């Protein structure tokens, strides 16, 4: 997803040769590009329940990076790459967390209210050329909330000119404060810290020309027990699919 300044599950995947910098939607865009991309994507999935969000929605594609190392990924994620040394990249990260109220939907009844605010943390990437990237990221919020993601991304040989295919794997964990805030109930369910989810996916992008990029992603997410046992969550395993079109500026 994902600098001084990551729903959880694939949205915290941060993968590419600057793999920390990319979230679920951005992986459909060319890897390592410092151009500005703006577009729109459609995401569909078998629902997890109200704690994570609603599937089948349009969302913006946004990616930009400047020569000083500052980058923007998606809506609400800003970072700063402090190192560009061979094989290593790291820096701080800032992500905005939207709020949530128990009155927002019927299946959120009894959940905890979440105030909007920043999540602060950092990332580190280890990579081997453009083929393999290993990434770690941590984000914290008020109240002792902490989320950590470890991920890997492998680029495959190009199937055709101007096309790219890659595979990704990520594990996201969180402490008890985060689990109770997102997945707990005011009364009746107070999960402990542990695994949020394991995610495996494949993505394909095609640079139609210098200006336009078409991308798709297919992934499978398996929720950890503290999340899956929450009354706010539906199925433990879900298949996710997205397709998007972005313009390069």
């Amino acid at each position: 997803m994902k600098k001084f300044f990551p729903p959880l599950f694939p949205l915290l995947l941060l993968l590419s040769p600057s793999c920390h910098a990319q979230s679920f939607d951005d992986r459909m865009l060319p890897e390592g590009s410092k151009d500005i991309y703006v577009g729109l994507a459609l995401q569909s999935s078998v629902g997890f329940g109200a704690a994570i969000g609603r599937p089948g929605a349009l969302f913006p594609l946004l990616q930009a990076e400047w020569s000083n190392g500052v980058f923007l990924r998606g809506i609400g994620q800003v970072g700063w790459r402090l190192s560009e040394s061979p094989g290593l990249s790291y820096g701080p990260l800032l992500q905005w967390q939207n709020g949530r109220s128990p009155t927002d939907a019927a299946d959120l009844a009894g959940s905890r209210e979440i105030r909007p605010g920043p999540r602060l943390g950092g990332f580190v990437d280890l990579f081997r050329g453009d083929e393999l990237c290993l990434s770690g990221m941590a984000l914290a919020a008020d109240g002792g909330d902490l989320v950590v993601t470890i991920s890997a991304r492998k680029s495959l040989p190009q199937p055709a000119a101007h096309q790219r295919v890659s595979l990704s794997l990520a594990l996201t964990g969180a402490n008890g404060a985060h689990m109770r805030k997102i997945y707990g109930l005011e009364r009746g369910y107070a999960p402990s810290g542990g695994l949020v989810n394991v995610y495996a996916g494949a993505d394909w992008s095609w640079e139609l020309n210098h200006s336009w990029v078409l991308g798709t992603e297919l992934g499978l997410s398996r929720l950890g027990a503290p999340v899956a046992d929450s009354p706010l969550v539906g199925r433990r395993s879900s298949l996710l699919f997205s397709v998007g079109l972005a313009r390069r500026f």
Side-chain angles (χ1 to χ4, degrees), residues 7-13 15 24 27 48 52 148-152 168-174 179 183 194-201 218-228 235-240:
L8 290 167
F9 75 95
L11 295 152
L12 286 178
L13 270 177
L15 303 165
F24 179 61
R27 291 196 304 277
F48 284 95
I52 296 180
V148 176
T149 295
I150 300 173
S151 52
S168 56
L169 177 67
L171 288 81
T172 297
M179 292 292 199
Y183 307 107
L195 181 68
V196 174
N197 88 303
V198 178
Y199 175 80
L218 181 66
L220 178 66
S221 182
R222 174 75 172 174
L223 300 177
V227 177
R235 303 188 183 191
R236 185 165 187 176
S237 298
S238 284
L239 189 67
L240 303 103

Side-chain angles (χ1 to χ4, degrees), residues 16-18 33 46 55 85 120 149 193 204 208 214 218 226 239-240:
S16 86
S18 48
S33 172
V46 178
S85 61
L120 307 176
T149 295
W204 167 83
L208 303 174
L214 175 68
L218 181 66
L239 189 67
L240 303 103

Side-chain angles (χ1 to χ4, degrees), residues 30-157:
E31 297 184 26
S33 172
K34 296 183 190 291
D35 293 323
I36 297 175
Y37 290 86
V38 178
L40 195 65
L42 174 66
Q43 175 185 327
S44 181
S45 68
V46 178
F48 284 95
I52 296 180
R54 307 292 183 184
L58 290 170
F59 60 94
L61 291 169
L62 180 61
Q63 174 177 300
E65 183 165 343
W66 291 271
S67 58
N68 60 3
V70 174
F71 64 82
L72 177 67
R73 295 293 185 269
I75 301 299
Q77 187 181 91
V78 180
W80 185 15
R81 196 190 322 278
L82 298 178
S83 170
E84 285 283 11
S85 61
L88 175 66
S89 181
Y90 60 86
L93 184 68
L94 166 65
Q95 182 179 20
W96 184 259
Q97 176 180 271
N98 293 326
R100 187 188 73 189
S101 171
T103 60
D104 288 344
D107 47 3
L108 282 172
S111 66
R112 299 169 185 261
E113 183 170 0
I114 300 174
R115 294 179 299 175
R119 302 180 63 80
L120 307 176
F123 71 90
V124 59
D125 298 331
L126 300 172
F127 46 90
R128 181 179 179 182
D130 293 338
E131 298 178 358
L132 178 65
C133 180
L134 304 177
S135 180
M137 180 195 68
L139 287 170
D142 59 349
D145 181 319
L146 177 65
V147 180
V148 176
T149 295
I150 300 173
S151 52
R153 181 185 183 92
K154 171 66 175 177
S155 295
L156 303 181

